[in-house]
Amino acid sequence: MSSTHFPFSAVVGQDDLRLALLLNAVSPAVGGVLVRGEKGTAKSTAVRALSALLPQVDVVPGCRFSCAPGAPDPVCPDGPHEPGPGAVRPARMVELPVGASEDRLVGALDIERALAEGVKAFEPGLLADAHRGILYVDEVNLLHDHLVDVLLDAAAMGASYVEREGVSVRHAARFLLVGTMNPEEGELRPQLLDRFGLTVEVAASREPAQRVEVVRRRLAYEDDPAGFATRWAGDEHEVRARVVAARALLPKVSLGDTALLQIAATCAGFEVDGMRADIVMARTATALAAWAGRTEVRKEDVRQAALLALPHRRRRNPFDAPGLDEDLLDRILDEFPDEEPEPDPDLDPDPEPGPEGPDGNGPDDSGPGDGGPGGGPGGTPPQESGHDAPASDAEAPQTPEGSEPQPAAQENGGAGPEQAAVRAAEPFRTKMLSVPGLGEGASGRRSRARTAHGRTTGAQRPRGHLTKLHLAATIQAAAPHQKARGRSGRGLVVRKDDLRQATREGREGNLVLFVVDASGSMAARQRMGAVKGAVLSLLLDAYQRRDKVGLITFRGAGAQLALPPTSSVDAAAARLERLPTGGRTPLAAGLLKAHETLRIERLRDPSRRPLLVVVTDGRATSAGALGGDPRELSGRSARMLAAEGVASVVVDCESGPVRLGLAGVLAADLGGPAVTLDGLRADSLAGLVKDVRTAVTSQSSHTNRRAA
């Protein structure tokens, strides 16, 4: 694979993405960029290309922490540094893999040498490598929470701290943080979103001419990477020179009272929490003015800063789409008009011309809204209207009102009329549901598990590199051998075999698989709105506990996997909102589909334990293609899931004065508890078994009674 990156100036379109990256290159204090978008939209390509545009850095020769010769870090682990000439090297771009360990990120101390020799033997991590450069995290939404916390703390403080049992090392870690993510694979927590200075939404252009240019340039690059880079070298040099000029101008930019009032009024008008948004907007607007070659911040700078810094801070819960009401933004800014600046004859009236690339005027060079490399403060992304609407939505008006397209009616098997989807009731805080036992899955907040972080529960011999020393156990292991090892002083003679790793217990995330009854009986007496509200509440709980979720629905003649297991609860909420109802109740088909889905997921991710949530009134009126008695089939399917140890909860949706109790029978067959919709609320007085394990113990006695 070629080591020559795709040139930054050759990226087609994506004006906001390029501008956000360049603003951070001009002023790293902006706080980094989070790039959100669908796959295949040049997110990673643009980020990797940015490093070539950064100015070179002066470093102390031999320093592993990239200290500047003129101002070395006084507590650098490789210091103190003697005055002398420095070496020049390009700015680094360091990539953090999703599966990296904490030691790989922050560095590692040699605990054995620290205990036995009293020396701080420190191996730097990726934070040290990224100092004065770029730290790039692809798929940052899939990074473990504790790594994200460490990463953002280092970015905020400009330093990294490594502590192991009283032995600590600190070093400078100032870098441009860039994260990319596909929202379909899961969201970042709102408090982590807020720590990124800017956020950009990217999508592939729907303009055929622009898409053609993307393909043309990519093929040309793959055929001859070095030659392609050479053809774009002139444009790259221009952008690099402009970054250097903007950095030099930045300290001279004036942020007047009018601009500060515009920033404060904008953040207050959009009800943004905290003050970080105001500070980020101020830094971004200043960088925009420097990028445009001006020494004063104008209203258009504040407006563009708001579009980059506020959308991701507007989310109140994970189901809110990020975005900003631009009409409201304009009304707020119009209340504080800028003073008319005097024209400066020395400034270029059009500081952001589109580049004339070696390939001629491509669609991205002459198309509307393109401001050249990085775009301009007033630039707009390519026209993308309508790209989010699926084809089925576009065809929906052609169907009769209150009904669904014909294929769904065929799925119903003619067993009854299909009813239109209803809105979900308001979500609420649910009671805690967890999986019994002790797991070893991905870090989360639901069920007990052995984790790298949490309370210490014991000690064991380390498997591989020691990360969490259990000091007491290590001393106990070494103490009996001191005489044989010839101990003569006060120090303890410690060998590698004496070291003990602390075992810790924390929480893991689970796979929460929803099996939702969408038959006609669920639509009776407007129950579906309450049912959707309950499932939405459980989805919100799954988001907060860092679970994966999946959605199965059953109605008519069978069941379907409406949403394969994913970390995106947004996608599950969207599928739930569009869920229609009608037809008979093939309960067994839904349970068997759950069994098949869990079997496949067990092969893909064997360490992630499942929690099955069946939302139904317990009726079984159709065997579908299976044939036989529907109730007997559903019972057998449930007992098969229970026999495989699948933890289950049944949400009983039955209502009315006469209750058949069928959901309770299903729960007994599954070996889990049954809870009503009201009992699911965290503030409800109804008794809910807090942990599924209490029902598992009663499963064997229930099985014996059925056999008798």
Side-chain angles (χ1 to χ4, degrees):
M1 183 176 179
S2 173
S3 60
T4 303
H5 290 307
F6 192 91
F8 187 88
S9 53
V11 175
V12 179
Q14 306 297 12
D15 299 340
D16 285 347
L17 169 59
R18 294 187 294 164
L19 178 60
L21 292 172
L22 288 169
L23 291 178
N24 274 272
V26 171
S27 175
V30 167
V33 186
L34 176 64
V35 186
R36 297 162 44 94
E38 58 196 29
K39 52 187 175 293
T41 49
K43 300 189 298 294
S44 300
T45 299
V47 174
R48 292 189 174 98
L50 178 66
S51 60
L53 302 180
L54 298 182
Q56 292 187 326
V57 294
D58 293 327
V59 297
V60 174
C63 178
R64 297 175 297 168
F65 301 88
S66 301
C67 284
D73 185 1
V75 294
C76 175
D78 284 355
H81 298 298
E82 298 294 333
V88 179
R89 65 162 176 80
R92 293 175 181 156
M93 194 205 74
V94 178
E95 188 165 350
L96 173 62
V98 171
S101 65
E102 183 177 353
D103 282 351
R104 183 71 186 98
L105 176 62
V106 301
L109 286 170
D110 190 332
I111 301 297
E112 183 181 0
R113 292 189 63 192
L115 289 176
E117 304 174 27
V119 298
K120 294 181 180 179
F122 181 67
E123 184 66 29
L126 295 177
L127 291 180
D129 293 341
H131 180 47
R132 304 176 70 193
I134 301 174
L135 182 60
Y136 171 47
V137 189
D138 193 13
E139 298 180 321
V140 64
N141 52 324
L142 303 183
L143 201 64
H144 286 179
D145 283 354
H146 72 280
L147 290 183
V148 176
D149 291 336
V150 169
L151 183 64
L152 294 179
D153 285 343
M157 296 186 297
S160 174
Y161 295 85
V162 185
E163 298 192 8
R164 294 288 186 272
E165 303 296 336
V167 182
S168 63
V169 171
R170 174 206 172 276
H171 65 83
R174 292 184 296 274
F175 48 82
L176 168 57
L177 177 62
V178 182
T180 57
M181 59 175 283
N182 183 351
E184 295 178 356
E185 298 172 344
E187 284 287 355
L188 276 175
R189 291 175 289 161
Q191 59 268 39
L192 298 184
L193 278 173
D194 185 56
R195 298 293 291 273
F196 281 93
L198 309 179
T199 297
V200 178
E201 298 280 339
V202 297
S205 172
R206 271 29 180 188
E207 294 292 334
Q210 198 169 67
R211 295 175 74 96
V212 166
E213 186 64 18
V214 170
V215 175
R216 180 183 293 120
R217 294 189 185 182
R218 188 67 198 185
L219 293 179
Y221 168 74
E222 292 177 353
D223 288 343
D224 183 9
F228 186 83
T230 301
R231 292 196 297 274
W232 284 89
D235 297 279
E236 293 286 277
H237 176 74
E238 290 180 10
V239 178
R240 189 181 302 110
R242 189 171 170 188
V243 170
V244 173
R247 280 190 172 189
L249 184 62
L250 186 65
K252 304 176 184 177
V253 176
S254 172
L255 184 66
D257 291 341
T258 300
L260 284 172
L261 282 172
Q262 292 170 342
I263 291 170
T266 300
C267 293
F270 283 101
E271 300 179 353
V272 177
D273 295 335
M275 295 297 298
R276 183 175 285 119
D278 303 63
I279 297 171
V280 171
M281 275 191 64
R283 290 170 173 167
T284 305
T286 304
L288 280 161
W291 177 248
R294 289 184 271 102
T295 57
E296 78 285 339
V297 174
R298 298 178 182 173
K299 183 170 72 173
E300 58 262 31
D301 301 325
V302 176
R303 187 182 193 279
Q304 183 66 50
L307 293 175
L308 294 172
L310 295 189
H312 62 295
R313 294 182 167 91
R314 290 274 298 147
R315 303 190 76 182
R316 291 293 184 267
N317 65 65
F319 307 130
D320 292 340
L324 211 63
D325 184 343
E326 296 193 33
D327 291 336
L328 174 59
L329 175 61
D330 289 333
R331 289 197 300 271
I332 293 173
L333 294 178
D334 287 343
E335 296 177 5
F336 303 93
D338 285 341
E339 296 180 3
E340 287 295 329
E342 296 182 2
D344 190 339
D346 296 331
L347 292 179
D348 185 354
D350 183 14
E352 298 165 27
E356 296 293 329
D359 294 342
N361 288 333
D364 64 318
D365 299 323
S366 59
D370 193 306
T380 56
Q383 183 67 28
E384 297 164 0
S385 60
H387 75 273
D388 290 329
S392 59
D393 291 343
E395 297 167 359
Q398 302 174 9
T399 62
E401 185 177 357
S403 64
E404 295 290 319
Q406 186 62 30
Q410 293 175 355
E411 179 196 39
N412 194 23
E418 184 176 283
Q419 304 183 31
V422 298
R423 281 188 172 275
E426 282 296 317
F428 51 85
R429 190 165 63 91
T430 65
K431 289 191 174 180
M432 175 66 173
L433 302 174
S434 63
V435 178
L438 194 63
E440 295 182 348
S443 176
R445 299 183 178 183
R446 183 173 297 279
S447 304
R448 295 173 55 231
R450 298 183 184 90
T451 60
H453 298 268
R455 63 185 182 90
T456 301
T457 59
Q460 64 180 13
R461 291 183 182 272
R463 301 173 183 174
H465 184 68
L466 176 69
T467 56
K468 300 292 183 181
L469 177 73
H470 194 295
L471 185 58
T474 299
I475 294 174
Q476 288 176 353
H481 309 289
Q482 295 305 296
K483 185 176 181 180
R485 293 172 182 174
R487 174 187 172 187
S488 58
R490 299 178 59 185
L492 193 68
V493 181
V494 180
R495 302 280 175 81
K496 187 172 183 179
D497 291 342
D498 301 327
L499 299 179
R500 295 294 183 268
Q501 175 88 22
T503 57
R504 303 195 175 196
E505 181 178 311
R507 293 279 172 175
E508 68 176 357
N510 299 112
L511 166 59
V512 182
L513 182 61
F514 294 94
V515 181
V516 180
D517 185 348
S519 64
S521 64
M522 296 294 289
R525 294 182 291 276
Q526 301 299 316
R527 274 189 286 169
M528 202 59 194
V531 169
K532 286 186 176 182
V535 178
L536 197 64
S537 304
L538 290 168
L539 283 171
L540 180 59
D541 181 69
Y543 167 80
Q544 294 168 341
R545 301 190 187 280
R546 311 300 288 168
D547 296 317
K548 290 180 69 174
V549 296
L551 178 63
I552 292 173
T553 63
F554 58 93
R555 54 185 290 273
Q560 64 172 346
L561 182 60
L563 180 71
T566 175
S567 296
S568 175
V569 296
D570 289 11
R575 302 290 174 89
L576 179 71
E577 190 68 25
R578 296 193 296 265
L579 178 66
T581 58
R584 300 175 70 84
T585 312
L587 177 57
L591 297 175
L592 291 175
K593 177 63 74 173
H595 180 270
E596 177 188 357
T597 302
L598 293 178
R599 179 184 63 81
I600 296 173
E601 284 301 306
R602 196 176 296 118
L603 296 174
R604 292 175 177 169
D605 191 357
S607 64
R608 188 180 290 268
R609 299 185 295 162
L611 175 62
L612 184 66
V613 180
V614 185
V615 186
T616 181
D617 57 9
R619 298 173 184 267
T621 61
S622 171
L626 300 173
D629 180 72
R631 290 190 181 183
E632 177 59 27
L633 282 172
S634 62
R636 284 164 47 194
S637 302
R639 290 190 292 274
M640 179 176 63
L641 286 165
E644 295 187 359
V646 177
S648 305
V649 177
V650 176
V651 179
D652 185 0
C653 303
E654 191 174 25
S655 61
V658 179
R659 295 176 179 264
L660 301 178
L662 298 176
V665 175
L666 175 63
D669 286 333
L670 285 169
V675 54
T676 63
L677 291 175
D678 289 337
L680 192 61
R681 295 177 179 271
D683 56 354
S684 173
L685 297 178
L688 170 64
V689 181
K690 293 185 178 180
D691 199 309
V692 183
R693 71 169 66 88
T694 58
V696 175
T697 57
S698 63
Q699 178 188 351
S700 58
S701 59
H702 170 73
T703 304
N704 293 336
R705 287 198 304 271
R706 292 183 65 90

